[in-house]
Amino acid sequence: MKTILSVQPTEVKSKSRQFSTFTIDGRLYGIDVMKVQEVTKPLQVTLMRTAPPFIKGLINLRGQIATAIGLRELFGLEIENSSEKMTVVCRVEDVLLSLLVDNIGDVIEVEDHQFESSPQTVPANIRAFMQGVYKTDEAIMSIINLDSILSELDKRCA
Amino acid sequence: MSDEFEEFKTEILEMLDRAEQALLEFDQLPDNQSSHSLYDEVFRAYHNIKGAAGMMEWEELQHHVHQLENVLMESKETSSIPKHLIGWFLKGNDATRSIMNHSPHSFSYEIPSEEKTTNTAAPSLAPIEMVKTTQETALPEEFYAEVNEGLDRISSALIKMEAGAGDKALVDSLYRDIHSIKGAVQLFGLEGASHLSHGMENSLEHVRNMEKYEIDNAHVSTLLLCVDLMNLCVKKPNDEEIVKEAKFMVKLLAPFSESTPANKVETPVSSEVKPEVKPEIKPEVIMVVQPSPKAELHSQVVETRNDSEKVDTTIRVQVSLLDRLMTLMGEMVLVRNQVLQYSNSCDDLEFLNLSQKLDVVTSELQEETMKTRMQPIGNILNKFQRVVRDLSGSLNKRINLVLIGVETELDKSLIEAVKDPLMHIVRNACDHGIETPDMRNGKPETGTITIKAYHEGGQVIVDISDDGRGLSRKKLLQKAIEKGIVTAEKGELMSDRDVQNLIFAPGLSTAEKITNVSGRGVGMDVVKSNIEKIGGLVDVSSTEGVGSKITLKIPLTLAIVPAMIVRTENDRYAIPQVKLVELVRVEKHAIEFVQGRPIYRLRGNILPLVNLKEILGTTAEQDQDEAINIVVLNSESHLFGMIVDEILDTADIVVKPLARFLKSISLYSGATVLGDGSVAFILDVLGIAQKHLGTGTHQESKNMNDKYSATGDDTSLREFVLVGLASKAKHAIPLSTVSRMEEIKTSSIEQSGHQRVIRYRGGILRIVSLNEVLGYSEEKVEKEITQLIVTKMDDEMVGIEVDQIIDVLSTRDYLDETISGHEVITGNLVTSNEIIVVVNVDKIYDITRPKVRHTRNVANKSAKVLVVEDTASVRMKVVQELSDSGYDVEVAVDGIDGLKKIADHKCDFDVIISDIEMPRMDGFDFVKKVRSIERMKSIPVIAFTTKNTSEDLDRAKTAGFTTYLEKSKGRLLSLLVSECLNDNKRKTA
């Protein structure tokens, strides 16, 4: 309440946002925490035959059906020694997606001034899904854009 | 807070209704007779409302009801309400409702004295002031629903009465419905609708007084028109035009009502809202003086009214709430299934017991929940009475519609979904099925359409049968072959059933002429796809001359589907029972192969087989099993078998949609959660059939689609019309340029200058002989009929004359454009066994057009043209075009102006172009006048017009026009002018 009355100039400039983080191949990724419905251990997956490899199948999330997406396959990463131990369940435009990831990290709070767009050297196939990066003290976090994941799924399955 | 308030409102309205009902019952009792129960009912209602209003701190309401209560208290001793006060109380109730809606009212709290009422001889009458409560705000949805339902009932009641089925109950209910609509629309200040309802009520009055309840047709027709208009009134309450129309309609109704005083049998309920009937005359305060109602009639109305209100214990619930309930129910069924599955592997007796109970309760709950969305199919079927009545009138047929099983219930969303298809089928039956009375050889003159709805095997079956002319195999086949849906050879071999099913093929209509009722070539295919979309089936059976029957099989609900669970490898899949015909288990060696494709002889018929494993791409070829499980499936009336590893069980599954990006993978139509909590895909039988079988009709229709999407792309499918010419090689004309193929009589070809033309669809069509263009020597054989390929490019049409139309060729073969012996030849199509010459239609246009232009330009350089046209833009365009071609152009704005221009000009025009539709003097009169001038007798006059029916054109010829041109072909105008000039020159030479 107080801050509303006496807003600091710096606070206006840089709003803080929270990201749910996870790692794939040791790299740190973040998804807007508001978009994440829950984080679960991998549930039993029903394989979807004839579907592209990044569609892992369907899972039953307490009566709701989510589509399991292999981010490694979608990003074109190494799939040889994949060690996906967790899933991040997100809801985008009424579609329930369950993203397979290696490990779950903390929810990280970052400020706008820490943001930078993706470096040019990031391969285009991954950059397409990235909103940009946040520089935290410990590491650089790549922000996943769920909308572009959905539109890419639409495109690749069509 | 707002929810609480809504609840409060609902409660008060309910109490008011109860009070109202009690008051009305009082009204039926002899004067001043006491009734404790009724009195208490009214008193309690008022008292409670007062209390509730106080609690909600709604002073206005509280005060108002308090007044009512006070007056009521005065007669507490006798427990009776004097007749003269009942109207006052009812009025007070209405004012209560107005307060609730925050709309103005001016209820007079002055209690009517008995003397006053006896003086005016109107017991229900009190000095009541009412202002018109015109609300510009949107009307509540319930109001629409109510009025619509009422209007529907009125329609069907009227039709029943017309058929002579009127009895007291029907007339009363009809009257009541009109009356309550009147009340409702007056309440909301809908002027037009209130006039209408009042007029309808009046006109029906004498019918109610009659012994036999008869009503004449004209009256019914007018009343039905009123119903339609009422619909409009309610939808557009502020439309002045509609209100005017409504008033006019009331005048039309007037002759039907007897000259008895209009308000003779008004019920008290209506009389109190009476002042609103003519609000535009006296908007502020109206006193109404009414003659005393006939006691016995009056009580009749009240009696029936009461009956219906007692029965009416329904409430209105938002559909979205029911949808949510259904979804939750689905979830609950899933949980139940999981519990049951778990209980099977558990020896805890207590738990087993509980899970059994849960099972029973859930099943019952599921059933009841489903029922909440169920509606009798009669809701839509009854509407068809009206449709059939109107149609039979306009088609000059006599048709009787019989409805059986109107009480059969199915899901509301499904009712909506089948409404349009049903409507289409009924209209078709009226239009094509039932013959006109003189054509019904030996059958009763009145045709019968029967709609029968019933439950069978978890589905609702709707049969629509007519005793009309039935489907003609010959006509159907002929049409189908014509449209390229089947080939002639294939048609010969088709079974009657298959032929009849052709009516569901896209683009087929057997109606000889297109009427506004049906027959546009779309329809039955849409019916089929719409019904299949909701998991239903359509079938047709017909006997020529006896009638046809169309059967719809509709699932009860969409959300929960009975399905068969099958297994292949380690995956389980659900197949909807609707698609399932039977299960077959056969020895492996019973499978035979046709061209390498597996088939099975199912009771002597060949059943094509697909292997689910192959479809899914899990080709682990290790069938050690000696027996094979075949699921026989039905897709668009074609049977096929699917080989699966194991048939597991049947289950009621809850259909879950797939994420949208998965829909393009056409094997699956959805997913479901099985009893053990795992997800299983629902197989899309239709999709599988289309992908892996290419069932008959589908493949054909795909070809049809390709035809229209054919592009010039080298790898894509192209289509050509193969034609025979005076050359050994076959020639091909790209189908994309062809608009029609015609067979014309050579005698119909006329000469226009050097150009051969025919009259074609109200215009002229240039004819180009392909033999001539390509320089093939044509044998001059006088043929009676010649083949014409009508091509169309950029709105210009040319008829290409060929010797023979051989076939339509669709090919992906390579088009070699390197060798071209002639400018109108694009190249050669190299097929496996021959070379086909492809004609360049574009070039034909080019080389046939400029030649004519050229001659004209030289010959008629200084020709004078008069253009008579009233539309400025057209005039400018024509002048532009003609001046560009080198003519000297003069304009006139109408016939009179044109004649003046002719008179003014000492030197005459060479050609006159005239519009037909013009003010002051039209083209017909103009040309007659022109022809009456001696020196103008032979001048070419061209009608330039949009009137192009053959009558118009004949009339134009007789009036004196030399020729005519459609305005849409304006480009050809200068060409036509030059031809006319040439012709004229030859004649005069």
Side-chain angles (χ1 to χ4, degrees):
Chain A
M1 277 297 129
K2 238 182 228 166
T3 47
I4 290 174
L5 294 172
S6 60
V7 187
Q8 302 284 312
T10 50
E11 279 177 80
V12 177
K13 222 185 271 172
S14 112
K15 264 192 290 174
S16 67
R17 295 176 66 188
Q18 289 186 321
F19 288 93
S20 182
T21 63
F22 55 87
T23 58
I24 302 171
D25 268 355
R27 293 175 190 157
L28 185 68
Y29 294 89
I31 289 181
D32 185 350
V33 83
M34 300 308 291
K35 301 263 174 76
V36 177
Q37 179 174 316
E38 61 189 285
V39 170
T40 64
K41 290 216 173 93
L43 296 157
Q44 187 195 351
V45 175
T46 301
L47 293 179
M48 188 170 194
R49 308 284 180 186
T50 70
F54 50 82
I55 289 174
K56 292 291 191 182
L58 302 187
I59 58 171
N60 170 18
L61 205 71
R62 295 184 308 280
Q64 290 180 300
I65 290 183
T67 312
I69 304 291
L71 285 185
R72 279 169 187 271
E73 286 82 353
L74 196 62
F75 291 174
L77 300 175
E78 189 70 43
I79 29 179
E80 280 297 294
N81 42 13
S82 60
S83 52
E84 288 150 346
K85 295 190 207 73
M86 295 300 280
T87 70
V88 180
V89 182
C90 315
R91 186 176 283 280
V92 211
E93 295 175 29
D94 260 16
V95 178
L96 211 53
L97 295 180
S98 162
L99 307 175
L100 299 185
V101 301
D102 289 357
N103 289 301
I104 293 294
D106 294 331
V107 171
I108 297 182
E109 189 163 343
V110 289
E111 314 242 311
D112 274 358
H113 67 84
Q114 290 172 281
F115 181 80
E116 241 177 79
S117 56
S118 319
Q120 293 299 308
T121 47
V122 174
N125 55 346
I126 300 183
R127 200 163 46 175
F129 302 109
M130 280 172 62
Q131 238 160 15
V133 296
Y134 278 95
K135 301 160 287 181
T136 66
D137 294 342
E138 296 82 31
I140 304 282
M141 172 172 61
S142 306
I143 301 304
I144 303 282
N145 183 352
L146 286 172
D147 292 326
S148 54
I149 287 198
L150 193 64
S151 63
E152 189 67 16
L153 287 173
D154 284 341
K155 211 188 295 167
R156 289 211 204 166
C157 287
Chain B
M1 181 64 203
S2 76
D3 274 357
E4 200 180 310
F5 185 64
E6 279 305 310
E7 217 167 277
F8 159 70
K9 256 175 126 175
T10 322
E11 210 173 44
I12 289 191
L13 289 177
E14 269 169 23
M15 288 192 266
L16 268 181
D17 285 345
R18 252 181 278 144
E20 192 133 320
Q21 173 137 15
L23 283 168
L24 290 171
E25 276 171 44
F26 252 122
D27 202 27
Q28 260 183 297
L29 301 173
D31 207 0
N32 291 332
Q33 187 178 331
S34 65
S35 160
H36 280 287
S37 62
L38 287 179
Y39 182 89
D40 285 350
E41 181 90 48
V42 182
F43 187 78
R44 211 169 29 240
Y46 285 153
H47 194 77
N48 287 347
I49 294 173
K50 191 176 85 173
M55 215 167 66
M56 296 300 284
E57 297 178 341
W58 195 341
E59 270 178 38
E60 187 191 3
L61 184 65
Q62 192 187 0
H63 175 78
H64 170 76
V65 184
H66 181 69
Q67 299 277 330
L68 295 181
E69 195 188 346
N70 274 352
V71 175
L72 192 64
M73 285 282 276
E74 283 168 21
S75 39
K76 192 163 172 65
E77 305 272 288
T78 55
S79 284
S80 75
I81 301 175
K83 276 260 150 79
H84 69 276
L85 280 180
I86 289 176
W88 184 82
F89 278 119
L90 288 171
K91 199 74 216 166
N93 286 354
D94 285 357
T96 314
R97 288 195 188 92
S98 296
I99 294 169
M100 305 268 303
N101 290 328
H102 298 286
S103 43
H105 76 97
S106 53
F107 175 67
S108 161
Y109 293 108
E110 188 193 332
I111 303 142
S113 66
E114 208 155 349
E115 302 88 77
K116 227 179 200 168
T117 47
T118 41
N119 283 348
T120 52
S124 65
L125 209 101
I128 289 161
E129 296 167 7
M130 278 294 286
V131 277
K132 186 184 168 196
T133 56
T134 324
Q135 283 169 297
E136 293 304 317
T137 46
L139 305 175
E141 220 152 272
E142 287 78 7
F143 168 72
Y144 290 117
E146 234 163 55
V147 172
N148 282 338
E149 278 166 21
L151 289 177
D152 284 350
R153 276 197 302 270
I154 292 171
S155 290
S156 50
L158 282 171
I159 287 161
K160 270 189 217 156
M161 283 184 63
E162 189 184 26
D167 54 19
K168 181 175 164 334
L170 187 71
V171 178
D172 280 346
S173 87
L174 172 65
Y175 199 81
R176 194 165 56 239
D177 278 325
I178 294 177
H179 191 81
S180 32
I181 287 181
K182 182 169 122 182
V185 296
Q186 284 178 350
L187 180 72
F188 286 101
L190 301 181
E191 193 186 343
S194 98
H195 278 293
L196 270 179
S197 47
H198 184 66
M200 289 167 79
E201 200 179 7
N202 276 348
S203 80
L204 275 172
E205 211 163 282
H206 72 277
V207 180
R208 283 179 82 227
N209 292 334
M210 284 192 312
E211 290 287 306
K212 283 174 74 186
Y213 305 109
E214 274 167 347
I215 188 163
D216 60 25
N217 287 11
H219 193 174
V220 169
S221 296
T222 320
L223 284 171
L224 285 175
L225 283 176
C226 289
V227 170
D228 289 344
L229 194 56
M230 180 93 77
N231 245 323
L232 269 180
C233 283
V234 173
K235 275 185 199 129
K236 296 182 186 164
N238 297 325
D239 193 320
E240 291 291 326
E241 284 301 307
I242 294 174
V243 173
K244 258 186 224 159
E245 213 171 307
K247 285 182 188 160
F248 177 70
M249 195 57 91
V250 172
K251 278 188 201 133
L252 285 186
L253 272 175
F256 296 112
S257 55
E258 279 180 354
S259 56
T260 46
N263 302 321
K264 189 168 66 175
V265 288
E266 288 292 335
T267 66
V269 192
S270 75
S271 55
E272 84 239 7
V273 277
K274 185 76 195 163
E276 278 187 22
V277 174
K278 281 170 188 161
E280 83 283 0
I281 301 169
K282 275 188 187 175
E284 315 89 7
V285 183
I286 297 169
M287 285 276 292
V288 179
V289 180
Q290 285 181 320
S292 158
K294 278 186 184 170
E296 69 284 356
L297 277 168
H298 163 193
S299 64
Q300 268 172 18
V301 177
V302 175
E303 177 185 276
T304 38
R305 201 186 159 84
N306 278 347
D307 284 348
S308 75
E309 275 182 6
K310 261 176 197 151
V311 177
D312 196 27
T313 54
T314 55
I315 53 160
R316 283 175 200 285
V317 182
Q318 291 284 325
V319 176
S320 58
L321 176 66
L322 293 182
D323 284 344
R324 178 98 188 97
L325 260 178
M326 281 300 282
T327 325
L328 286 172
M329 196 56 239
E331 301 294 331
M332 181 143 178
V333 169
L334 286 177
V335 176
R336 187 264 322 256
N337 291 352
Q338 289 171 31
V339 169
L340 284 184
Q341 195 134 32
Y342 176 70
S343 72
N344 286 341
S345 57
C346 174
D347 355 297
D348 187 339
L349 261 179
E350 183 67 4
F351 179 71
L352 274 176
N353 215 343
L354 284 174
S355 64
Q356 282 303 324
K357 273 186 194 159
L358 178 70
D359 183 23
V360 173
V361 175
T362 315
S363 301
E364 225 164 277
L365 187 58
Q366 181 186 346
E367 218 164 272
E368 297 300 312
T369 318
M370 302 251 277
K371 275 190 203 155
T372 59
R373 289 179 49 94
M374 294 294 188
Q375 286 195 325
I377 197 167
N379 284 7
I380 49 169
L381 293 188
N382 286 330
K383 286 191 179 145
F384 294 148
Q385 290 283 15
R386 174 78 192 275
V387 173
V388 170
R389 178 192 180 273
D390 288 359
L391 275 182
S392 54
S394 66
L395 294 167
N396 288 323
K397 293 177 181 179
R398 281 208 234 142
I399 308 173
N400 189 16
L401 178 67
V402 179
L403 300 177
I404 301 168
V406 285
E407 70 287 343
T408 309
E409 290 192 323
L410 72 164
D411 194 283
K412 182 177 160 59
S413 58
L414 287 171
I415 287 204
E416 285 303 311
V418 297
K419 190 168 134 194
D420 286 348
L422 268 177
M423 175 76 90
H424 195 93
I425 295 169
V426 170
R427 291 174 80 104
N428 261 344
C430 293
D431 196 17
H432 310 324
I434 304 289
E435 309 91 331
T436 44
D438 50 312
M439 298 285 287
R440 291 180 61 82
N441 311 327
K443 290 185 278 189
E445 280 195 1
T446 305
T448 306
I449 297 174
T450 310
I451 306 182
K452 184 178 170 194
Y454 55 98
H455 285 279
E456 191 183 275
Q459 287 180 312
V460 173
I461 318 281
V462 185
D463 288 336
I464 304 99
S465 46
D466 65 65
D467 62 350
R469 58 170 75 95
L471 293 170
S472 155
R473 180 188 168 100
K474 215 178 102 204
K475 272 193 199 164
L476 259 170
L477 267 181
Q478 190 189 330
K479 204 82 186 177
I481 293 165
E482 198 177 294
K483 303 263 174 175
I485 294 164
V486 290
T487 56
E489 303 84 66
K490 203 175 155 194
E492 286 291 297
L493 298 172
M494 284 169 84
S495 67
D496 279 356
R497 190 185 138 85
D498 284 345
V499 171
Q500 286 172 1
N501 269 299
L502 280 174
I503 61 166
F504 298 116
L508 188 119
S509 171
T510 52
E512 268 133 31
K513 63 176 190 231
I514 290 167
T515 63
N516 63 350
V517 178
S518 56
R520 284 190 190 83
V522 290
M524 289 311 279
D525 58 321
V526 179
V527 167
K528 188 179 170 75
S529 64
N530 281 350
I531 295 293
E532 289 190 351
K533 218 181 277 169
I534 55 168
L537 289 172
V538 192
D539 201 7
V540 60
S541 66
S542 174
T543 314
E544 193 168 355
V546 180
S548 344
K549 179 164 100 176
I550 290 177
T551 303
L552 306 183
K553 290 185 184 169
I554 309 158
L556 278 174
T557 173
L558 286 178
I560 297 177
V561 177
M564 176 68 67
I565 312 293
V566 299
R567 180 186 65 83
T568 187
E569 301 281 301
N570 288 321
D571 302 333
R572 281 175 295 173
Y573 295 95
I575 300 169
Q577 291 274 15
V578 222
K579 300 289 178 192
L580 196 71
V581 181
E582 59 183 306
L583 304 170
V584 186
R585 192 174 162 87
V586 296
E587 295 297 306
K588 200 172 183 181
H589 57 78
I591 304 292
E592 296 166 76
F593 290 86
V594 178
Q595 300 293 322
R597 309 299 308 161
I599 60 115
Y600 171 68
R601 293 192 208 192
L602 181 65
R603 291 185 289 277
N605 292 325
I606 286 181
L607 180 76
L609 297 179
V610 293
N611 195 329
L612 186 55
K613 260 181 219 162
E614 277 172 41
I615 290 171
L616 298 169
T618 58
T619 40
E621 289 291 330
Q622 47 192 22
D623 292 339
Q624 67 274 65
D625 246 17
E626 272 308 296
I628 287 176
N629 290 305
I630 299 173
V631 187
V632 183
L633 301 170
N634 181 345
S635 159
E636 296 185 324
S637 318
H638 290 264
L639 294 185
F640 72 100
M642 187 161 73
I643 300 169
V644 299
D645 282 0
E646 195 183 348
I647 289 158
L648 293 173
D649 201 1
T650 58
D652 282 350
I653 58 166
V654 180
V655 181
K656 304 268 183 187
L658 294 177
R660 62 165 193 248
F661 51 87
L662 298 178
K663 285 187 180 137
S664 50
I665 301 163
S666 57
L667 290 180
Y668 315 108
S669 62
T672 188
V673 179
L674 294 178
D676 62 357
S678 66
V679 180
F681 284 99
I682 302 165
L683 292 178
D684 178 5
V685 174
L686 218 65
I688 290 174
Q690 286 172 0
K691 213 164 174 177
H692 296 270
L693 286 172
T695 45
T697 47
H698 181 72
Q699 215 174 28
E700 301 291 353
S701 64
K702 219 171 104 199
N703 281 348
M704 300 243 306
N705 289 341
D706 286 347
K707 197 180 285 182
Y708 297 114
S709 63
T711 57
D713 190 351
D714 259 357
T715 54
S716 73
L717 194 72
R718 311 167 204 228
E719 292 190 295
F720 300 92
V721 181
L722 287 184
V723 298
L725 294 171
S727 157
K728 273 186 189 139
K730 277 187 188 162
H731 289 65
I733 296 173
L735 193 63
S736 55
T737 62
V738 175
S739 82
R740 287 180 77 89
M741 293 179 231
E742 300 277 9
E743 237 181 31
I744 56 159
K745 290 202 179 97
T746 38
S747 56
S748 66
I749 300 180
E750 294 168 61
Q751 286 284 337
S752 171
H754 296 296
Q755 183 68 60
R756 292 194 304 155
V757 294
I758 55 159
R759 293 191 205 194
Y760 188 68
R761 298 186 157 198
I764 53 169
L765 179 73
R766 282 192 286 151
I767 296 178
V768 175
S769 162
L770 197 51
N771 277 325
E772 215 170 281
V773 172
L774 289 168
Y776 298 139
S777 55
E778 198 177 353
E779 284 172 48
K780 289 283 172 202
V781 186
E782 275 306 314
K783 289 181 293 181
E784 212 169 280
I785 280 170
T786 188
Q787 307 290 333
L788 210 58
I789 296 179
V790 182
T791 59
K792 185 172 184 183
M793 288 183 99
D794 298 336
D795 278 5
E796 192 175 345
M797 289 173 110
V798 167
I800 299 176
E801 192 188 359
V802 298
D803 288 356
Q804 194 191 354
I805 295 170
I806 300 169
D807 200 359
V808 171
L809 171 78
S810 42
T811 176
R812 289 180 202 278
D813 286 334
Y814 173 61
L815 177 62
D816 184 351
E817 298 188 13
T818 49
I819 306 164
S820 167
H822 195 281
E823 58 175 327
V824 294
I825 291 171
T826 317
N828 299 296
L829 206 55
V830 189
T831 69
S832 52
N833 48 13
E834 61 187 331
I835 289 174
I836 296 166
V837 183
V838 177
V839 176
N840 186 339
V841 178
D842 217 350
K843 265 282 176 324
I844 292 182
Y845 277 62
D846 281 354
I847 64 163
T848 55
R849 192 167 34 199
K851 213 162 66 189
V852 188
R853 281 228 167 121
H854 186 65
T855 48
R856 176 251 294 156
N857 279 350
V858 175
N860 309 306
K861 195 95 192 167
S862 59
K864 264 184 132 56
V865 183
L866 174 65
V867 177
V868 188
E869 165 70 60
D870 61 322
T871 318
S873 58
V874 176
R875 206 163 53 222
M876 271 161 64
K877 183 105 201 327
V878 170
V879 171
Q880 181 78 40
E881 165 114 17
L882 292 177
S883 339
D884 284 355
S885 304
Y887 294 105
D888 190 357
V889 189
E890 185 82 26
V891 294
V893 294
D894 58 29
I896 289 178
D897 192 28
L899 289 176
K900 194 162 153 267
K901 289 272 154 66
I902 291 172
D904 286 353
H905 271 255
K906 299 293 165 249
C907 71
D908 288 332
F909 294 102
D910 297 302
V911 176
I912 296 172
I913 298 167
S914 171
D915 190 11
I916 286 183
E917 279 296 313
M918 286 184 295
R920 294 211 289 173
M921 180 187 282
D922 69 9
F924 295 128
D925 289 340
F926 170 68
V927 76
K928 275 180 206 150
K929 284 265 161 38
V930 171
R931 292 298 181 209
S932 67
I933 305 168
E934 187 56 37
R935 60 199 161 101
M936 292 282 184
K937 277 266 178 333
S938 62
I939 183 175
V941 185
I942 302 169
F944 188 51
T945 174
T946 44
K947 286 195 158 196
N948 50 24
T949 65
S950 55
E951 290 120 62
D952 285 328
L953 298 176
D954 284 346
R955 199 174 149 207
K957 285 256 162 162
T958 24
F961 282 107
T962 319
T963 181
Y964 46 84
L965 186 69
E966 270 178 75
K967 279 186 176 162
S968 60
K969 298 207 177 72
R971 272 165 288 91
L972 301 176
L973 193 58
S974 59
L975 185 77
L976 191 63
V977 168
S978 88
E979 275 161 18
C980 286
L981 286 168
N982 285 339
D983 275 357
N984 214 32
K985 241 175 228 161
R986 256 201 310 283
K987 267 187 229 155
T988 48

